[in-house]
Amino acid sequence: MCSAGWVGAARTTSSTRATTVAPLGAGAALLAPLRTATGGTLTIATDGIGGAVPFVGAAAGRPLSAARSGDLGIAARSLVNQVGPAFGVSDPQNELVEDRRTRTLAGTAVRFRQQYLGVPVLGGELAVAVRADGAVSSVSGEAVPALEVDTAPTVAAGVAADVAVREVAGKHGDTAGLTAASPTLWIYDPQVMGAPGMPIARLVWRTTVSNASGDIGETVLVDAHRGVVALRFDNVETVKNRQVCDNALEVLPYVCTSPVLAEGGDVTEKNSDVLDAYNNAGATYDFYSATLGRDSVDGAGLSLKSTVRFCPTTRGCSYQNAFWTGSQMVYGAGFAHGLDVVAHELTHGVTDYTSGLFYFAQSGAINESMSDVFGEIVQLANLPGGAAEQTAWLLGEDLFAGGIRSMSSPPDKGDPDRMTSALYSGSSSDNYGVHTNSGVNNKAAYLMAKGGTFNGRDMGSGIGIVKTARVYYQAQTALLAPASDYLDLSNVLPQACTQLVGTNGITVGDCTVVSNAVLATEMNLAPTMAGANALLDRCPAGQVVTTTVLLDNFDTSSVNWATSASTGSAQWSRQQAQSASSVFYGPDLGFVASGEAYMVAGAVIPASGTTYLQVRHAFEFESDSNGYYDGGVIQYSTSGPAGTYADVGALSGAGIVNGYNHRLFAGGKNVLRDRNAFAGASPGFETTQVNLSTLAGQT
């Protein structure tokens, strides 16, 4: 038996969407005329934010719009105007502005950025793939519908910059040399990025906090009305005009201004770090140029600058890493030796100039995996006659014994090879699993290239590394958006292959292999471990639901609620969520306050069977590197609404699923101090489930 207290209902992250060839949902219904015009051949992804569409792709030979001559941007704009409402943008002329164009293997990608009253929306972007003949073959990306945001900040930019510096300093334990770039106003909704916290759009100041040596670089979003950090993530992504600088294990700035070796220079008497950076950057450039037609990282001949034997100011000279700064490569001693490492880091630069994938959560995992894919393919393309096959598909094997990641078998290194793997990370560490969860797409790329059977799917003999590279490059340049997640990638990869059919020997059969690799790695499914997908839609497996004791969704409320404020003013309210369902909302106020929302009538727990309470909720409370200050708890009373309440965590054998996640700061004035509670930020909406069997027969 279930007792279900559904506190609102909303999209958690984009990993909960479904894909269908029929128009489902509010957004897809708007595409009915387009679907008819293309003979019912569209692939449409549904259940974006508020029911919007995040992807529509054409079948081979049936484009979304007819071929046309002239400016490709006009063709893209015309199609965006047509499908914009389905993507949640009702006034595309005012809310979608052309941002940039990228040359692809099948034409041009024209990218449109969402703006609201002139303020850009973080991650709000649509990529329109336009063929060389002017026909449009796909639109992908995400926008935030029904925006209502106060765009006049009440927190000054300078204050936001100070908050951002303090936040990053708390993480690194070092305030020396940290500076914040001039903050700019953006609109941020966690739903777009699959980020934790309340799925509510808000105005933020966006800045980057970095240090002089370059090994710290974090994006920080500060709420422009509350002055608290809304999101923070690391940008240091842990690159044929080559220039190599040598810091010689001295504490020097990383910026390469005085190269010891430049393109065409004398390579004699150069140390191995300098030569490795030079030669491996050249091999990477040559692969991108010869195979994909790309002229350097930016596609326009950007100088490939590297600094080797880097020694950061705060971490000593045994720096065991390499990173892309946004303009050049930086290597610790010996780290330029691995070709796959160099190609990996340079591909982060390609990502910056194409899809712009965030380095956070699922988009970050795809970002990291793209670098793994091209890093390994570049290395394999440069192996003489299949040499070192025993180390193929291992990342960094030239630097670390056994490598750091395996693409052929990610679980060998503790990484997932499918979305439902128990190894999939739901933790907030590592920018929410960017390195660990890259294993899903790494496995897919391996299956595409090498073939074989996996998870009930047959990839035959694969399509080889060159075709695999072309499919992923088309996805990068034409289809992926900054906030794309794995469900987006499950739509994008087959579409990328479809757009390439008839070029470079790519066939419909190759696209079947791509689709099977996507299905084998379950990109279209949501992860199942706690923290990654925390919605429960039913009682535990094996339990038979015979009675719903209580259901309250705050739309047609069957139970009335009251509120009280013990301290200050706790402004509880019933609000409409973007999913068209209601939520009961209490703000995290900027002063000492506590409040309760409580049922005015009880529910009788059945005397037999097992009864569960399920509460669907999202939260975002104040915290920093020193601790969790605010939070919330679930309590129960068996003596009426005015009786004595006890914490559900005290129920004997409660077996709580998605229970309290942190212990609150022991000091201060919080009435819940030094208690376990819901604190920090939830992974969007999640379901907490409590076994109420010990209360059987009581009200």
Side-chain angles (χ1 to χ4, degrees):
M1 299 180 182
C2 275
S3 170
W6 296 108
V7 184
R11 178 177 184 259
T12 52
T13 70
S14 50
S15 63
T16 60
R17 295 198 306 264
T19 301
T20 178
V21 295
L24 301 176
L30 298 173
L31 296 177
L34 185 61
R35 185 175 185 271
T36 300
T38 55
T41 60
L42 296 184
T43 297
I44 302 172
T46 63
D47 195 21
I49 300 175
V53 167
F55 172 85
V56 56
R62 300 299 298 264
L64 303 180
S65 66
R68 61 188 298 172
S69 58
D71 188 349
L72 297 182
I74 296 176
R77 167 56 73 183
S78 177
L79 204 284
V80 162
N81 289 349
Q82 182 178 355
V83 304
F87 280 78
V89 184
S90 58
D91 189 359
Q93 293 284 2
N94 295 328
E95 293 189 329
L96 285 171
V97 297
E98 184 176 331
D99 184 53
R100 63 193 187 280
R101 301 184 186 186
T102 307
R103 188 168 66 87
T104 75
L105 293 177
T108 300
V110 183
R111 295 175 179 270
F112 293 84
R113 183 183 67 250
Q114 185 185 11
Q115 291 186 171
Y116 176 72
L117 298 178
V119 180
V121 178
L122 191 68
E125 181 173 300
L126 300 187
V128 183
V130 187
R131 300 188 325 200
D133 62 2
V136 175
S137 53
S138 66
V139 182
S140 54
E142 209 148 16
V144 181
L147 277 169
E148 292 184 14
V149 177
D150 181 358
T151 57
T154 54
V155 173
V159 172
D162 291 341
V163 169
V165 169
R166 287 198 302 270
E167 180 77 8
V168 176
K171 171 186 174 182
H172 293 282
D174 177 24
T175 59
L178 288 179
T179 58
S182 297
T184 54
L185 285 174
W186 288 71
I187 292 171
Y188 164 63
D189 188 327
Q191 296 177 99
V192 178
M193 295 178 61
M198 292 291 293
I200 298 173
R202 75 289 304 264
L203 185 72
V204 297
W205 287 108
R206 179 182 182 180
T207 183
T208 299
V209 177
S210 58
N211 64 349
S213 59
D215 58 320
I216 295 176
E218 299 201 15
T219 291
V220 184
L221 308 182
V222 178
D223 192 300
H225 291 296
R226 297 172 57 211
V228 299
V229 174
L231 184 69
R232 183 193 76 203
F233 58 90
D234 202 335
N235 294 315
V236 176
E237 298 157 336
T238 28
V239 256
K240 171 174 165 182
N241 178 11
R242 292 164 287 177
Q243 299 177 21
V244 183
C245 294
D246 185 5
N247 278 19
L249 297 179
E250 295 183 22
V251 179
L252 297 170
Y254 70 84
V255 179
C256 183
T257 56
S258 301
V260 296
L261 179 60
E263 187 67 36
D266 184 4
V267 299
T268 60
E269 298 184 6
K270 297 297 188 292
N271 66 62
S272 60
D273 284 86
V274 171
L275 289 177
D276 286 340
Y278 183 80
N279 292 331
N280 288 337
T284 304
Y285 177 96
D286 290 345
F287 179 87
Y288 268 101
S289 176
T291 305
L292 304 172
R294 188 173 188 85
D295 183 9
S296 191
V297 166
D298 65 344
L302 180 73
S303 296
L304 297 182
K305 295 184 178 182
S306 305
T307 295
V308 299
R309 297 201 289 178
F310 170 67
C311 179
T313 56
T314 60
R315 288 165 177 76
C317 290
S318 59
Y319 186 70
Q320 298 293 297
N321 215 328
F323 60 92
W324 165 256
T325 70
S327 59
Q328 70 159 87
M329 276 303 309
V330 180
Y331 302 96
F335 267 74
H337 178 58
L339 174 54
D340 54 353
V341 172
V342 173
H344 172 109
E345 298 299 341
L346 280 167
T347 299
H348 279 308
V350 174
T351 298
D352 285 349
Y353 282 99
T354 54
S355 64
L357 284 161
F358 292 121
Y359 203 63
F360 178 84
Q362 287 192 21
S363 59
I366 298 170
N367 183 325
E368 185 67 14
S369 180
M370 285 291 181
S371 285
D372 282 354
V373 170
F374 284 98
E376 193 60 24
I377 286 177
V378 169
Q379 177 163 281
L380 291 171
N382 282 274
L383 287 178
E389 182 65 24
Q390 69 274 14
T391 61
W393 304 102
L394 286 174
L395 275 302
E397 75 280 359
D398 292 328
L399 305 181
F400 304 95
I404 56 175
R405 284 189 293 279
S406 169
M407 297 181 69
S408 59
S409 182
D412 289 351
K413 301 297 181 181
D415 302 329
D417 54 9
R418 65 190 85 182
M419 293 298 287
T420 62
S421 168
L423 295 173
Y424 190 100
S425 173
S427 167
S428 61
S429 62
D430 185 31
N431 273 11
Y432 281 81
V434 298
H435 290 90
T436 298
N437 297 336
S438 63
V440 176
N441 185 58
N442 283 355
K443 180 68 175 183
Y446 170 80
L447 292 171
M448 287 180 210
K450 295 291 288 183
T453 58
F454 178 70
N455 199 16
R457 300 285 174 174
D458 185 5
M459 276 57 64
S461 58
I463 64 175
I465 61 172
V466 173
K467 288 183 179 180
T468 298
R470 290 190 169 119
V471 169
Y472 275 100
Y473 185 71
Q474 182 69 11
Q476 271 274 54
T477 55
L479 293 154
L480 288 171
S484 293
D485 58 21
Y486 268 122
L487 190 55
D488 294 316
L489 191 61
S490 74
N491 296 315
V492 159
L493 287 173
Q495 181 68 28
C497 186
T498 297
Q499 292 174 353
L500 296 175
V501 169
T503 68
N504 298 290
I506 293 177
T507 66
V508 172
D510 293 331
C511 296
T512 299
V513 174
V514 173
S515 295
N516 282 340
V518 166
L519 293 171
T521 51
E522 304 172 341
M523 290 183 190
N524 58 321
L525 301 181
T528 54
M529 77 304 310
N533 180 50
L535 284 181
L536 306 171
D537 292 318
R538 55 180 172 77
C539 289
Q543 299 288 333
V544 178
V545 180
T546 59
T547 303
T548 298
V549 178
L550 165 69
L551 173 63
D552 191 347
N553 61 10
F554 303 119
D555 292 328
T556 55
S557 182
S558 59
V559 174
N560 292 322
W561 290 71
T563 64
S564 67
S566 302
T567 309
S569 175
Q571 302 164 350
W572 286 91
S573 61
R574 183 173 143 184
Q575 299 184 0
Q576 200 76 4
Q578 287 181 319
S579 63
S581 296
S582 295
V583 295
F584 214 42
Y585 174 70
D588 183 18
L589 301 172
F591 50 86
V592 176
S594 65
E596 299 81 30
Y598 61 93
M599 297 164 55
V600 298
V604 178
I605 307 303
S608 61
T610 304
T611 302
Y612 296 95
L613 169 70
Q614 291 184 336
V615 180
R616 182 171 292 190
H617 60 142
F619 52 89
E620 184 176 327
F621 290 109
E622 183 181 2
S623 65
D624 60 24
S625 56
N626 295 315
Y628 298 89
Y629 304 106
D630 301 342
V633 295
I634 300 176
Q635 299 175 313
Y636 71 94
S637 168
T638 57
S639 54
T644 301
Y645 282 82
D647 197 295
V648 293
L651 289 173
S652 176
I656 298 178
V657 177
N658 292 325
Y660 300 143
N661 59 334
H662 294 293
R663 194 167 188 86
L664 297 183
F665 184 60
K669 300 177 180 179
N670 194 332
V671 296
L672 297 178
R673 60 186 175 275
D674 202 26
R675 282 179 58 176
N676 293 328
F678 296 110
S682 63
F685 270 85
E686 66 177 3
T687 302
T688 291
Q689 178 173 279
V690 183
N691 187 327
L692 300 179
S693 297
T694 57
L695 302 178
Q698 301 185 66
T699 299

